[in-house]
Amino acid sequence: MGKRIFMILLVSSLFWACNDKEKVSEEIERIEIDLEIARFDREFAKSEPLDIPVLKKAFPYLFPARYTDSVWVAKLQDTLQIELLEEVDQVFSDFQTEANDLELLFKHIKYYFPQYKVPRVITVTSDVDYQNRIIMTDSLLLIGLDNYLGPEHRFYEGRQRYIAKGFDKAYLISDVANAFAKQVVPRPRDRTFLAQMIYYGKELYLKDKLMPLASDAQKIVYSEDELAWAQANEEPVWRNFIEQEHLYSTNAKLGPRFLDPAPFSKFGLELDNESPGRIGRYVGWQIVRSFMEKNEIELPQLLNLSAAEIFKKSNYKPKK
């Protein structure tokens, strides 16, 4: 009898959860936004020297005053720049898929953060400046398309593979969501390793809400194999963190070992070469997910909670 009641309650809770998700999805779909996308990369590629003043007037923020027009004319005529623009045009000849994905992302942002103002989107080339491939301000979103030509593209020869794997347009929306997360997730005042993990966990959980159709691999920029490793080894990784007394340590070396982009995480064990980098971020993500499963709280409130409160109320237990 007890088992039957439990099953009824379980089915009932799943039913209401599905209904809630459908309701949220419908509300998000009804949100209207005015998304403006300007393909500056294309405008520049087809320009002639005499067009520079026109471009400067249309896109003043892309033309620093310290550079004379001759600099831009030289860039127009530079063979490497011409090739770069041509390659971008081949990969992004049609930007409609990305435009649709950006619109959906901004609708989700407006749902959870109603005061947010959708920025004007400008596509540019950045000479493969991957550390600044996405620049988001209050009014502008600059996307360096030359950073998304595919990890095997010849422009990325010499780049370390763990970096080049993210040079794929499959991760473009994830990178935009990450830029937004940097604006709304406060940096932790607590310097402990646990607080750093939960900070990144908040960013990734935010992506859960803003990118519900994306895979977990896309959100954390893992390959499917790397994600599978993280899922399969979550328990021994957590056990290692506890046994090595990392959680409340303020040792700055833990960041490069377990949180920063890297070819693999550095436990000092045989499994190092099998592990993906940033495994601490993955664990922080699971802690935040566990917290949100057990606590009724709005998304903006979550972002301002302390790591200590989130960890305590998460009752986190890694999957074995």
Side-chain angles (χ1 to χ4, degrees):
M1 187 71 174
K3 187 176 181 180
R4 184 182 175 190
I5 292 173
F6 172 77
M7 289 302 296
I8 291 172
L9 290 173
L10 178 62
V11 170
S12 177
S13 65
L14 290 173
F15 172 78
W16 288 113
C18 288
N19 274 0
D20 286 344
K21 284 185 178 180
E22 287 181 12
K23 182 181 177 182
V24 169
S25 181
E26 289 173 0
E27 289 178 2
I28 289 172
E29 190 59 39
R30 286 198 295 269
I31 293 173
E32 293 187 5
I33 64 170
D34 183 17
L35 180 62
E36 180 186 355
I37 299 176
R39 290 292 303 268
F40 173 79
D41 56 304
R42 277 191 166 173
E43 291 293 318
F44 190 80
K46 67 183 183 183
S47 295
E48 299 291 339
L50 291 177
D51 297 324
I52 293 297
V54 178
L55 283 177
K56 289 175 71 173
K57 186 175 181 180
F59 304 94
Y61 34 80
L62 297 180
F63 294 88
R66 65 181 180 274
Y67 296 125
T68 63
D69 286 4
S70 61
V71 171
W72 307 111
V73 171
K75 193 170 185 177
L76 276 177
Q77 299 169 342
D78 181 79
T79 54
L80 184 58
Q81 287 296 321
I82 292 170
E83 184 182 6
L84 184 68
L85 289 163
E86 287 175 347
E87 291 296 308
V88 167
D89 198 50
Q90 285 186 27
V91 175
F92 292 99
S93 58
D94 180 4
F95 200 69
Q96 192 57 52
T97 298
E98 288 74 24
N100 292 341
D101 290 343
L102 283 169
E103 182 176 18
L104 188 59
L105 173 68
F106 286 127
K107 282 187 175 185
H108 279 81
I109 292 175
K110 286 287 285 185
Y111 177 80
Y112 292 105
F113 302 87
Q115 302 307 313
Y116 181 74
K117 293 183 179 179
V118 177
R120 184 187 187 201
V121 179
I122 315 290
T123 61
V124 300
T125 57
S126 64
D127 295 329
V128 194
D129 180 8
Y130 72 92
Q131 292 184 321
N132 294 297
R133 56 188 177 270
I134 301 291
I135 296 176
M136 180 180 280
T137 70
D138 290 341
S139 59
L140 290 173
L141 170 61
L142 305 182
I143 302 177
L145 295 183
D146 50 332
N147 296 281
Y148 298 99
L149 303 180
E152 304 303 323
H153 197 280
R154 66 183 184 279
F155 285 167
Y156 310 140
E157 289 177 4
R159 300 282 185 185
Q160 291 176 288
R161 298 320 299 164
Y162 76 91
I163 293 174
K165 74 179 183 184
F167 294 174
D168 193 297
K169 62 181 180 180
Y171 300 121
L172 190 155
I173 302 301
S174 182
D175 286 346
V176 174
N178 202 56
F180 172 74
K182 296 294 182 189
Q183 294 183 340
V184 296
V185 181
R187 292 291 307 185
R189 288 190 288 267
D190 186 341
R191 292 173 49 245
T192 64
F193 180 57
L194 178 64
Q196 301 296 320
M197 282 201 300
I198 290 177
Y199 165 75
Y200 288 113
K202 288 179 182 178
E203 286 191 345
L204 287 160
Y205 184 80
L206 185 61
K207 288 185 181 182
D208 284 340
K209 293 301 183 181
L210 302 184
M211 304 170 55
L213 302 181
S215 69
D216 282 0
Q218 284 175 297
K219 294 170 194 169
I220 196 171
V221 192
Y222 273 176
S223 68
E224 291 297 338
D225 286 344
E226 288 173 328
L227 179 65
W229 191 97
Q231 292 169 335
N233 291 276
E234 184 180 342
E235 193 275 334
V237 165
W238 180 246
R239 188 169 66 246
N240 177 273
F241 288 167
I242 292 173
E243 291 173 352
Q244 298 300 315
E245 299 182 348
H246 289 333
L247 296 190
Y248 298 102
S249 171
T250 57
N251 186 341
K253 293 181 180 179
L254 293 175
R257 289 175 62 188
F258 302 114
L259 298 172
D260 297 348
F264 51 82
S265 295
K266 302 172 183 67
F267 298 91
L269 302 170
E270 288 185 13
L271 57 77
D272 280 14
N273 289 333
E274 300 173 16
S275 69
R278 297 171 293 121
I279 194 66
R281 298 191 190 194
Y282 177 82
V283 173
W285 190 10
Q286 307 320 307
I287 292 172
V288 175
R289 280 176 164 177
S290 180
F291 171 83
M292 291 301 283
E293 286 171 3
K294 298 176 177 68
N295 297 273
E296 291 288 333
I297 188 170
E298 296 296 324
L299 182 61
Q301 290 177 283
L302 163 73
L303 305 182
N304 290 293
L305 286 182
S306 70
E309 183 174 356
I310 289 172
F311 181 56
K312 181 180 179 181
K313 294 182 179 179
S314 71
N315 294 318
Y316 170 67
K317 291 181 180 178
K319 300 170 185 175
K320 295 184 178 180

